[in-house]
Amino acid sequence: MTRLLTALTVPLVLATAAALAVLGWPQLFRLQNTWVAAHAVSLRGLEAAVAVGAVVLALVLLLFTRARPLRRLLGALIVLLLLFGAGNAGLLIVRGLGTRVPATAATATATETTDAVTVLSWNTLGDAPGAAAIAALALEQGADVVTLPETTEATGEAVAEAMKAGGRPMWVHTLAFDQISKARSTTLLISPDLGDYRVANAAGSGPPGNTNVLPTVVAVPADGTGPTIIAVHAVAPIRFEMSNWRSDLDWLATQCGGGNVIMAGDFNATVDHLSGREASVGAVLGRCRDAGPATGSGAVGTWPAFAPALLGAPIDHVLSTPNWQTQSMRVIETEDAAGSDHRPLVATLSPAP
């Protein structure tokens, strides 16, 4: 038994190191968009917690074993797990565990420029929170743009009516792939203060006009002045939708290739999954930058709402092209019991100097 353990120690350690490398940084192997690796890397907080638990278990075993080869194996595994856990924790800290104001936006925040745009995004799980709750949150946040994946036109109109009554009228734009499932509707609300907008993309599924399974709304200013505003809903990377998921992210990257874009919604992807689709330095998708990491909130989980935020997956985003800078962004944790499985997030953007 001792000889067998001695012979297996190096192969087991190498195999474990390789597996942890793939789970910790799949981009290195171009596996961030593949089955299993994509799911594992989306929950870095959980990965770090599991690594800590595994280290504790290994330490307990180490205390009770006298076999020298097993002690060597456990010792090596403990080191690997500590590195893995520390690496994930470090990335979470770098991406941001809470809210801070980015240095580049300090002046804009202080002056509260009138050109600022506040974007609220919330996947409502098929209208689950109800129009009153959605409108109340949008009014509370002073939203100029509201992106609502899995929200029907009827609910969007009810939200707009409630917001109008609250002194903040909104135009409603909805695309639905069918009327069978509320998940196949996406609604976008835009303040008239931003001008008149029209939906520019096709209602049918799939490129070149839309995402494949769930609708994305692309709205452009009628007079050509102002940002293109995109309400995103990419399909989840479940086993039989991996190809559509990758295609959705590719298509969204092309939509973020213009010069003036604000894009928000449920991407069903973390910044790890978006890796490789950036077109410029500092971007995460096409030419767009993510408001989350820019404000120290990039690691706060938006899904599932029932899990602690730092153990969840940050798969909802507010992105914008470099002509916008982020004044603030935060994940809203007060609506966890509202009925949706996603947390809403709100970001305020201002024109870059």
Side-chain angles (χ1 to χ4, degrees):
M1 182 65 177
T2 299
R3 290 181 179 179
L4 179 61
L5 283 173
T6 301
L8 291 177
T9 294
V10 172
L12 284 174
V13 169
L14 291 176
T16 302
L20 292 178
V22 169
L23 295 177
W25 197 251
Q27 298 94 310
L28 182 63
F29 310 93
R30 298 183 180 180
L31 296 175
Q32 69 270 24
N33 294 153
T34 60
W35 179 246
V36 179
H39 294 78
V41 78
S42 66
L43 298 169
R44 286 193 179 276
L46 185 59
E47 283 188 339
V50 170
V52 171
V55 167
V56 172
L57 177 59
L59 285 172
V60 171
L61 293 174
L62 192 61
L63 292 174
F64 288 95
T65 182
R66 296 182 179 180
R68 183 172 297 178
L70 185 56
R71 293 177 70 87
R72 290 174 180 167
L73 174 61
L74 289 173
L77 294 179
I78 287 171
V79 171
L80 290 175
L81 288 167
L82 284 173
L83 291 172
F84 178 73
N88 276 303
L91 277 172
L92 293 175
I93 292 170
V94 169
R95 290 174 181 175
L97 305 178
T99 302
R100 62 174 171 78
V101 177
T104 56
T107 302
T109 302
T111 59
E112 289 296 328
T113 172
T114 56
D115 294 328
V117 175
T118 296
V119 181
L120 174 71
S121 182
W122 195 1
N123 180 323
T124 67
L125 191 63
D127 302 335
I134 299 168
L137 182 62
L139 288 168
E140 177 187 330
Q141 299 301 324
D144 302 294
V145 173
V146 184
T147 67
L148 299 170
E150 297 198 26
T151 305
T152 60
E153 183 175 21
T155 295
E157 290 176 348
V159 171
E161 290 174 4
M163 291 186 69
K164 181 179 180 181
R168 204 170 189 89
M170 305 291 279
W171 295 118
V172 182
H173 306 279
T174 300
L175 283 183
F177 284 169
D178 59 49
Q179 302 299 322
I180 300 172
S181 171
K182 292 181 179 181
R184 285 168 63 82
S185 291
T186 297
T187 292
L188 169 63
L189 279 66
I190 303 175
S191 169
D193 292 342
L194 298 180
D196 292 332
Y197 273 77
R198 62 178 179 83
V199 175
N201 63 323
S205 60
N210 217 310
T211 36
N212 288 283
V213 180
L214 305 166
T216 290
V217 182
V218 179
V220 298
D223 63 0
T225 302
T228 295
I229 300 174
I230 303 176
V232 173
H233 199 185
V235 72
I238 59 177
R239 183 68 182 90
F240 299 105
E241 294 288 3
M242 294 299 294
S243 178
N244 282 329
W245 175 64
R246 289 188 289 265
S247 174
D248 283 355
L249 299 184
D250 291 342
W251 183 80
L252 291 171
T254 66
Q255 304 311 302
C256 231
N260 191 4
V261 177
I262 295 174
M263 175 184 285
D266 178 7
F267 290 70
N268 269 306
T270 69
V271 292
D272 292 296
H273 302 127
L274 302 180
S275 179
R277 296 182 175 87
E278 60 274 17
S280 59
V281 176
V284 298
L285 189 70
R287 298 183 64 246
C288 284
R289 302 173 179 181
D290 193 334
T295 55
S297 299
V300 182
T302 60
W303 177 91
F306 64 79
L310 296 183
L311 296 183
I315 59 175
D316 300 84
H317 305 271
V318 176
L319 307 182
S320 60
T321 42
N323 58 303
W324 295 94
Q325 64 180 12
T326 305
Q327 290 185 204
S328 64
M329 199 287 283
R330 68 186 180 94
V331 176
I332 300 170
E333 299 182 48
T334 57
E335 304 297 324
D336 288 0
S340 176
D341 57 342
H342 285 250
R343 294 186 175 95
L345 67 163
V346 62
T348 297
L349 311 173
S350 62

